[in-house]
Amino acid sequence: MLRSAKDLHGYTLHASGALSGSGNIGHVDEFYFDDESWTVRYFVVDTGHWLPGRRVLMAPQAIEKADWGTRQLHTNLTREQVENSPDSGTHQPLSRRWQAHYHAYYQWPVYWAGAALGGLAAYPSLLAEQEPEPLPDAPGDEDSHLQSSADVTGYQIHAVDGDIGHVADFIVDDDNWAIRYLVLDTGAWWPGKKVLLSPAWIEAVKWSEAKVYTPLLREAMQSSPAYESRYPITRDYEVQLFAHYGQTQYWDVEDHAKHRAENP
């Protein structure tokens, strides 16, 4: 199902086997995503009063079960594991070398170990079932391609014929944690209207300028189906959205990977 990143903010994470509030790890504060595949790689978890002043990273494969009604995510980790985990400081840049060390601690496969969206598998649930393997070498100076959702929120969106608004939110697929859309707030230009932009329709991102460039026209975006956060994003809505822009439609991970391979 497609979910708003803003809605995920504040979700409580529980340690495995926890039967009471004492098993809480913390709550989702933001996430880091890979700017090559536009996929969530880590949830940034605020541990609150349990580990004051500390935030920890949680890979999607650590999520064992989600209770969307009560806004809770149950993990396959213990509180002791989290407490003794390497401290990242959650300040970018997080090098591949540091990430490899972090994944080794939890015995998580690294996401750059294979060609699938999650590395060795398309879905985090499948990664969690795999036996740990030796991690590939990760040079410390290699660009990790990780971006903060909090930092990118507010980036200006630039169409072929001018600015059209700013990034207000992200829409993620809770099966594979791929970012399916950026939510654009058109601001004073079209007050009150929000539209969706697929990462496949992004031409470039200039991170130093905090700008996202798309080859779409402002007029096309103005007349696109509006996004209403109070309603779920349905398949019919997506069909209309893709048809409006004359874009290739793809729905699952394999099609998404094929689309990216054909449109580098």
Side-chain angles (χ1 to χ4, degrees):
M1 184 173 178
L2 300 185
R3 300 186 183 277
S4 158
K6 280 189 175 180
D7 286 346
L8 290 169
H9 179 83
Y11 267 53
T12 301
L13 286 98
H14 291 270
S16 60
L19 299 177
S20 67
S22 62
N24 290 354
I25 295 172
H27 66 267
V28 177
D29 188 41
E30 57 172 310
F31 60 78
Y32 284 154
F33 67 91
D34 177 352
D35 65 27
E36 289 188 314
S37 64
W38 290 85
T39 303
V40 174
R41 298 306 183 187
Y42 304 104
F43 299 101
V44 181
V45 181
D46 186 336
T47 58
H49 296 297
W50 175 45
L51 301 174
R54 186 176 173 191
R55 302 197 304 168
V56 298
L57 301 182
M58 193 76 61
Q61 57 258 46
I63 307 301
E64 196 168 51
K65 183 182 71 172
D67 188 335
W68 305 112
T70 60
R71 296 173 58 84
Q72 298 181 73
L73 300 175
H74 297 267
T75 75
N76 53 23
L77 307 177
T78 66
R79 280 163 58 96
E80 183 179 9
Q81 281 180 297
V82 175
E83 185 174 11
N84 295 327
S85 66
D87 189 0
S88 68
T90 61
H91 296 303
Q92 289 184 282
L94 294 174
S95 70
R96 283 279 173 89
R97 179 172 295 172
W98 186 91
Q99 291 178 74
H101 174 61
Y102 199 68
H103 281 244
Y105 172 79
Y106 282 117
Q107 296 189 324
W108 294 333
V110 294
Y111 58 84
W112 60 85
L117 199 64
L120 297 177
Y123 295 91
S125 58
L126 299 179
L127 287 173
E129 297 170 2
Q130 293 191 7
E131 291 294 325
E133 296 183 359
L135 296 175
D137 291 336
D141 58 352
E142 184 177 348
D143 187 353
S144 66
H145 293 283
L146 290 181
Q147 306 295 337
S148 158
S149 61
D151 288 348
V152 177
T153 299
Y155 271 32
Q156 292 297 307
I157 309 294
H158 188 81
V160 173
D161 49 351
D163 290 341
I164 59 175
H166 65 270
V167 178
D169 196 1
F170 301 86
I171 303 297
V172 297
D173 186 330
D174 64 23
D175 280 332
N176 54 30
W177 296 104
I179 296 175
R180 288 285 294 273
Y181 302 103
L182 280 67
V183 179
L184 277 59
D185 187 328
T186 56
W189 193 28
W190 305 316
K193 182 171 184 179
K194 290 183 172 65
V195 296
L196 298 184
L197 178 69
S198 168
W201 310 336
I202 292 174
E203 188 172 52
V205 181
K206 294 190 177 180
W207 306 105
S208 61
E209 299 177 10
K211 267 199 170 186
V212 178
Y213 291 81
T214 175
L216 302 176
L217 293 168
R218 293 199 299 178
E219 182 179 358
M221 302 193 78
Q222 181 182 18
S223 58
S224 71
Y227 165 68
E228 298 284 351
S229 59
R230 63 181 182 272
Y231 300 125
I233 297 174
T234 64
R235 182 61 61 84
D236 287 344
Y237 172 87
E238 290 189 278
V239 168
Q240 293 176 27
L241 183 68
F242 276 69
H244 175 78
Y245 291 119
Q247 299 291 331
T248 303
Q249 297 176 23
Y250 58 93
W251 312 114
D252 58 30
V253 176
E254 291 183 1
D255 286 344
H256 180 76
K258 180 180 179 182
H259 179 88
R260 289 192 294 111
E262 294 174 349
N263 300 271

